[in-house]
Amino acid sequence: MNLESSPLTMVIHLNRTPGEAPHTYRLPSPAEAGIGASTWSDVSVSGALQYLQRAVDPALVFALSCRRGLCNVCAMRIDGIVTTACTTPMHDGIVIEPARSSLLLRDTVVELSLVRRARIDASTSFEAQAEVKTEAEADE
């Protein structure tokens, strides 16, 4: 099968190291890859990265958690826009990069401790506000 001319194949340009040329991967059709989709556009970026890691490049590192776009752990820069990989559909020639190169740990994984700390601070602040409101209601 000629992967270059097949409409079901997918080309991914993955910038694993800022400043270096991106790695280019040519994926077979989803059927050949054992993925239950008719085209790669029916597969999320995280699904394609899972296939890449399992079948092509075991050294590839990416983060994935909820698979529903709720946790933002899989956030990366896709075609120049920071978004979640689990909710972004694949397309031919897609460019995948780390969300922020200054926080890069490896491949598309960035340091998330600042994000987690902000979320913890926000939830703690919200809980404290709720507690104060509850106390004020009890005093009435």
Side-chain angles (χ1 to χ4, degrees), residues 86-104:
C86 66
T87 60
T88 303
M90 286 293 299
H91 65 82
D92 199 25
I94 195 165
V95 177
I96 302 170
E97 304 170 291
R100 192 167 177 190
S101 59
S102 63
L103 298 176
L104 180 65

Side-chain angles (χ1 to χ4, degrees), residues 111-124:
E111 174 60 53
L112 293 174
S113 63
L114 298 174
V115 174
R116 288 188 188 118
R117 177 170 292 189
R119 285 188 176 175
I120 290 169
D121 291 346
S123 66
T124 302

